Amino acid sequence: MTYEWLAQFGGESGLVLITDADAFRDWTGAVYDDDYRLDPDCDYARLMAVVFADDDEVEAAAIDAGIVWQMEDAGIAEVATGDRGLLIMRSWADDSGEPARAFAAGSAGQETEVTAGELQIASGRVAVVWAPVAGSDATLRGTQIDCPGMLNLGTVVPLPPGRYTAAYGSHEDDGWSCRWIRFDRQPGTDKP
């Protein structure tokens, strides 16, 4: 499968929300009280309860709003689309990152993947965003998601309507490593 790398985005923690772009508008993100305690009723608190349910981090999981993926700590992730879906990857590389891109996009990467759930896209656009960001605080600049005081916290890219199977993986090699989550469109699911 061939992918076109379209965007990069960053976040201060490793949790990324992948959801239909229209559904992102209702995402409350992280809401804190005056003592900087996370409101247990906000979307981010519910996401954290899934990711850290058993004192064990989950790498990716289905939640009501979509799929959450752990890109591992603060950093930059890349987003690509292809003829079957979407690929999001975080890499640590001594060079350009091309070996990591090739591995995550290729069949060798797919052989090691673990299924995380399904994502329904109705709008024809997917939001990939640092999970604490609230949809109401976000500004879309081109395809880039910004919020007050912070830039490039996510992206919105075209993705044909349908149901997508999410699967994640990771790989280490000499001089580079990567982790990714792939969304492959299920045949015959173009109508929600």
Side-chain angles (χ1 to χ4, degrees):
M1 175 172 207
T2 303
Y3 285 95
E4 178 183 359
W5 296 93
L6 302 173
Q8 294 182 332
F9 70 94
E12 294 300 316
S13 72
L15 297 174
V16 175
L17 173 69
I18 302 99
T19 188
D20 188 285
D22 288 350
F24 175 61
R25 294 179 195 152
D26 297 326
W27 177 255
T28 64
V31 177
Y32 294 94
D33 66 17
D34 292 339
D35 295 323
Y36 206 68
R37 286 184 304 238
L38 191 60
D39 178 344
D41 293 326
C42 74
D43 288 335
Y44 190 70
R46 288 192 293 275
L47 174 151
M48 296 288 283
V50 170
V51 173
F52 300 105
D54 300 321
D55 293 330
D56 235 359
E57 283 186 43
V58 173
E59 288 188 49
I63 59 172
D64 288 343
I67 300 287
V68 61
W69 174 61
Q70 178 67 264
M71 74 174 197
E72 197 170 297
D73 302 323
I76 303 293
E78 299 179 83
V79 178
T81 58
D83 56 344
R84 287 189 359 222
L86 176 74
L87 179 63
I88 307 161
M89 182 194 70
R90 166 90 188 269
S91 66
W92 298 263
D94 293 342
D95 56 19
S96 68
E98 283 305 316
R101 284 179 169 182
F103 188 90
S107 60
Q110 288 180 332
E111 292 172 9
T112 66
E113 291 176 347
V114 176
T115 300
E118 293 183 348
L119 176 66
Q120 181 71 41
I121 298 295
S123 70
R125 299 176 314 134
V126 63
V128 181
V129 61
W130 182 42
V133 174
S136 62
D137 292 339
T139 303
L140 189 61
R141 190 166 43 107
T143 62
Q144 180 177 305
I145 297 173
D146 299 333
C147 69
M150 298 182 83
L151 302 177
N152 201 18
L153 299 173
T155 188
V156 174
V157 296
L159 194 65
R163 187 176 314 117
Y164 291 78
T165 300
Y168 62 92
S170 62
H171 183 75
E172 292 185 34
D173 210 317
D174 188 32
W176 62 272
S177 64
C178 63
R179 61 190 306 133
W180 66 89
I181 188 164
R182 178 187 327 277
F183 294 82
D184 283 339
R185 187 166 174 225
Q186 298 173 9
T189 65
D190 57 340
K191 297 200 171 46

